[in-house]
Amino acid sequence: MTIKNILVVEKILSANDRIAAENRSIFDEAAVFAINIMASPGAGKTSLIERTVSHFLSKMKLAVIDGDIATSLDADRAEAAGAIAVQINTGGECHLDAVMLNTALKQLKLENIDLVIVENVGNLVCPASFQLGTHKSVLIASIPEGDDKPYKYPGMYRGVDALVINKIDLLPYVEFDMSYFQKGVEILNPGLEVFPLSCKTEEGLAAWFDWLASST
Ligand SMILES: Nc1nc2c(ncn2[C@@H]2O[C@H](COP(=O)(O)OP(=O)(O)O)[C@@H](O)[C@H]2O)c(=O)[nH]1
Ligand SMILES: [Mg+2]
C-alpha cells in the first residue's frame, strides 16, 4: 500500500514538473520575468507585493497572480496598487500547482507584461513541493512567527533563491534571535540572499528592489 501511494505522488509531481517547464517556456518566449512568493499566512506577501508594484510601476508593466483558497481580497489589493491581477481560487488546496498557473497565464497578454509576481497560498509546507516554472522563488519570513521556523520547515528554506525577513519594525517587541534564525538558514541554504525589511516603515525595501531589478 505504501509503495503504491509513493508512486502516485511521484506521478503527480512529475506531471506538475512537465507543466512547470511549459510555463517557463511561455514566460521566456514572452520575455517575462516571473517570481513565486511563498510564506505563511500573514507574513506580508501581499504587503510586499503592494510595495513592489508601487515601486516598479513607472518602470515596467506588472501582473500579479494571486493564489487563495477562497477570496479575491489579495488580488483586489494588487490591482489597487496598480498591477494587472488574476485570481486563482484553489478551492481549498494549500498550494498553487503548475496547471493552475498555466490556466491563469492564459488570461494575461504576456507580450505586454515585464514582471509576473505569483502570490502562493499561505503555507510553509505544500508550496515547496510544487515547481511553477517561475524564474525565482522567494520566501518571506516575519519576525512574529518566531526564530525557529528554518528548523521546523526546512523544505521551504532549502529551495528558495531569496529570503525576505519582514516586520523588522517589531524586533523591539518580539523575542527573535536573529543570529539563531540566520544560522538555521545558512545550514539549509548557504549563501542565500537575505533581505531584512519592514513593509510598514519601508526600512530595507531598497535592497529588495535592487535585487529584483538586477534579477529581471
Ligand atoms: N508591523 C508590521 N506589520 C506588517 C508588515 N507587513 C505587513 N504587516 C501586516 O501584517 C498583516 C498581514 O499582511 P499581508 O500582507 O496581508 O500578509 P499575507 O497574508 O502574507 O499576504 C497585515 O495586517 C499587514 O498590515 C510590517 O512590515 N510590519
Ligand atoms: Mg496575501
Side-chain angles (χ1 to χ4, degrees):
M1 279 308 275
T2 320
I3 292 170
K4 268 188 195 162
N5 283 343
I6 290 169
L7 285 176
V8 170
V9 171
E10 278 177 358
K11 272 190 178 169
I12 291 169
L13 289 177
S14 71
N16 183 79
D17 285 353
R18 272 200 306 279
I19 309 291
E22 193 185 300
N23 291 344
R24 175 67 72 89
S25 305
I26 292 170
F27 286 132
D28 288 345
E29 273 163 31
V32 170
F33 189 77
I35 62 170
N36 173 23
I37 298 191
M38 298 174 284
S40 62
K45 296 179 293 302
T46 314
S47 301
L48 187 67
I49 289 169
E50 288 172 319
R51 292 290 192 190
T52 305
V53 168
S54 305
H55 179 79
F56 286 107
L57 205 52
S58 60
K59 302 169 193 69
M60 53 175 93
K61 290 228 170 57
L62 294 102
V64 174
I65 297 176
D66 253 293
D68 224 323
I69 58 170
T71 70
S72 69
L73 291 172
D74 289 353
D76 296 343
R77 285 170 62 186
E79 197 169 61
I84 297 160
V86 177
Q87 178 68 44
I88 305 174
N89 280 330
T90 65
E93 285 290 337
C94 55
H95 59 272
L96 288 180
D97 63 30
V99 176
M100 296 177 199
L101 181 62
N102 191 272
T103 307
L105 290 180
K106 293 187 174 127
Q107 296 178 46
L108 288 170
K109 287 204 173 84
L110 284 176
E111 62 275 17
N112 298 333
I113 290 164
D114 304 304
L115 174 64
V116 166
I117 304 176
V118 179
E119 176 173 355
N120 216 308
V121 179
N123 188 303
L124 281 183
V125 182
C126 311
S129 303
F130 289 84
Q131 296 298 316
L132 298 181
T134 51
H135 298 93
K136 299 277 183 196
S137 294
V138 178
L139 175 63
I140 306 179
S142 68
I143 299 303
E145 290 169 52
D147 51 24
D148 59 354
K149 292 304 167 288
Y151 303 91
K152 295 185 74 174
Y153 300 97
M156 207 69 194
Y157 283 79
R158 264 194 209 106
V160 292
D161 303 297
L163 171 67
V164 167
I165 308 174
N166 189 28
K167 310 195 188 184
I168 57 168
D169 57 294
L170 297 179
L171 276 169
Y173 315 106
V174 178
E175 264 187 45
F176 187 99
D177 182 339
M178 190 59 91
S179 62
Y180 175 67
F181 176 86
Q182 292 207 330
K183 198 173 140 201
V185 174
E186 191 55 30
I187 292 165
L188 295 166
N189 196 331
L192 180 65
E193 299 268 6
V194 180
F195 302 100
L197 56 82
S198 167
C199 288
K200 187 183 165 92
T201 66
E202 300 187 27
E203 185 184 353
L205 273 174
W208 157 253
F209 295 148
D210 287 349
W211 177 80
L212 191 52
S214 66
S215 302
T216 56

